[in-house]
Amino acid sequence: MRIAVLVKQVPDTRSVQMDEETGTVIRKGSEAILNPLDAYALQAALQLRQLRGGALVHAFSMGPPSAEQTLKEVLALGADRASLISDRACAGSDTWATAQVLAAALQKLGPFDLVVCGERATDGDTGQVGPEIAACLNLGMATFVEQILDLQEDWLDLRRKTESGFESWRLRLPGLLTVTKAIGEIALPTLANKMAARRAQVPLLKADELGLDPESIGLKGSPTRVVKIFYPSLTRKGELYKISDEASLLANSRILAKYLREAANK
Amino acid sequence: MKVLILAECDQQKVLPISYELLTRAKALVPEEEIGALLLGAGLPRQEYEKFSSAGVARLIVYESEQLLRFRAEPYSAILQACVAEFKPEIVLGGATSCGRSWLPYAAMKMHAGLTADCTELGIEEKTGLLLQTRPAIGGNIMATIKTPKHRPQMATIRPRSTAAAEPGSWSGGQIELRQPPPAWLESSLQELGFEAVDESRELSAARKVVVVGRGLKRPENLPMVEELAGLLGAALGATREVVDRGWLPYSCQIGLSGRTITPELYLGLGVSGAIQHLAGMQTAKRIVAVNSDPEAQLFSLADLSLVGNMQEVLPVLISELKRGGQI
Ligand SMILES: Cc1cc2nc3c(=O)[nH]c(=O)nc-3n(C[C@H](O)[C@H](O)[C@H](O)COP(=O)(O)OP(=O)(O)OC[C@H]3O[C@@H](n4cnc5c(N)ncnc54)[C@H](O)[C@@H]3O)c2cc1C
Ligand SMILES: Nc1ncnc2c1ncn2[C@@H]1O[C@H](COP(=O)(O)O)[C@@H](O)[C@H]1O
């Protein structure tokens, strides 16, 4: 069985700070990290590998050359192989074009029985790439998966969460999953894996090797365009009350109760 | 039909997000140009009529037991057929678990552009193009996006980011019940089971939310918070610190790596207001914060701030609310 995991390198939100005065983003030493939600995609793939001994877990990322670091991290966490798709022609891709590129890579190095994606990337924050790849490759799909119940040769049983409840499904393979953080704890990398990952070569794929038409990827191939970016104003002018003793505890709790009561009745 | 909205229902009713999508559509085009697609089964006829009377010129309903829950292939096949039939310029869905799966799958099939989780829509004057505005990078920036060439222009809309359209404000809507051909219903998913959750605790639809942070100190303090949430009729949410400690499940986590909510009322107890948490709640209408640290960042966002120990405030607050009778 062959399992693909898709991981993205994103800016570390911890290093993103807001300037209170101007409402702008300050990027202190803009570090790049593995999209935190993709660690759970990898976790799911490792669980699947455990359910079927001998399964191969292959991680893919599309991004700048520095995304190699992210793939090495994923190798250290237990993936068997990694491939990086990095090409100037891919720059500026929206989710539609990104899905085209990743789908082509999956086809080129496939076939895969399962493709596992994160719920969403914390930078673009769309969660669209997974379902778009499923559509592109005609794969069956289950999104927001939070538990893998069983895995056999031809199908996988899963549980997913929606607004109305928990659904259980049997997904015929090949298929694609997007998984949430509820899938399980992330295991720490073993020392041996860390060492191996440091030495590992991550093969690089270019767009033309994937048989992609440059017109269909990158900014040119993206149906959507960003017209403008602006900064939301965060700060509100609210009322502040301080509790210092018994009397102010009672008085201020009353103010709070009154406010909540009014807000609740709106 | 210029705008097609993708309504959602359960087995009893057309869900609120559908009325919100209708409000969005009505802000863009007159009712005569609005169509809605609804997939499901077993809804009473009055529900369709009620929804239509909120301003839907053409309501297309596909009825089948097999459409009760989202599955990509059938939902996409039907949407693709409707787009081919009505040629809408714009397709709007909810940024719900269904919409966020359905629209990208169908957008790829139709080679359409799709913008996720929009909080504002408009029309560009010169070109008539749809302007889609959404938060990105954890709500740190807002981006306005358009789709110059590909059709339809598709977007998912953040739930509760606008008011619901009022039923009874319009008449003359046409309601069409259809049966999907069996070939469209083929899917690689087979249903094994379903467990409903208590809707009052469901975060994304909640009008009021009580959120606890690490200031909770111990899980033993949760019952008091739950009592308060019960009194206010609020759902319970949490920061990542609380979820990581196993005090509440991941489904309660609000923020960058959790849920995004836009309630009428957000009450944060012992929540510092880290930027990753703010990403999931800064669009709340009213924000109230209780925190022992006067410098807590959540205060800079709050309409009402109380500097104090939440363990001391809670019992007094609860008894005050009880004294005042039912809310
Ligand atoms: C990639 C990434 C993703 C993340 N995603 C999320 C996310 O989705 N959601 C999220 O919430 N966080 C997220 N975080 C974590 C986030 O950065 C913060 O660590 C977290 O929000 C803090 O939670 P907290 O406010 O409960 O805890 P703390 O920051 O520890 O704050 C606790 C607060 O409680 C107050 N307090 C203590 N005792 C009391 C008392 N007795 N009464 C009243 N107040 C008291 C303290 O003054 C303090 O302000 C993410 C972080 C990263 C790096
Ligand atoms: N550039 C990329 N390289 C690899 N995987 C990606 C990339 N972009 C998105 N993904 C995958 O798709 C998921 C959703 O991303 P997004 O649609 O950008 O929110 C991520 O969690 C990844 O699993």
Side-chain angles (χ1 to χ4, degrees), chain B residues 87-165:
Chain B
K87 304 189 176 54
E89 284 282 303
I90 294 169
V91 172
L92 304 178
T96 57
S97 66
C98 171
R100 292 191 87 158
S101 312
W102 183 7
L103 278 87
Y105 192 93
M108 174 55 72
K109 293 279 180 197
M110 298 190 287
H111 199 166
L114 171 61
T115 305
D117 202 24
C118 298
T119 53
E120 273 167 60
L121 295 179
I123 297 283
E124 190 174 56
E125 247 176 57
K126 268 192 293 187
T127 57
L129 292 173
L130 181 67
L131 293 176
Q132 309 152 90
T133 299
R134 63 178 305 253
I137 323 210
N140 285 318
I141 63 165
M142 302 291 286
T144 301
I145 291 165
K146 66 181 179 186
T147 309
K149 289 203 217 66
H150 299 72
R151 292 294 171 272
Q153 306 162 80
M154 296 175 71
T156 58
I157 310 298
R158 180 174 290 189
R160 307 197 42 81
S161 62
T162 191

Side-chain angles (χ1 to χ4, degrees), chain A residues 8-11 35 121-126, chain B residues 134-138 256:
Chain A
K8 186 179 187 188
Q9 188 182 53
V10 297
N35 173 30
T122 53
D123 57 348
D125 200 8
T126 76
Chain B
R134 63 178 305 253
I137 323 210
L256 190 67

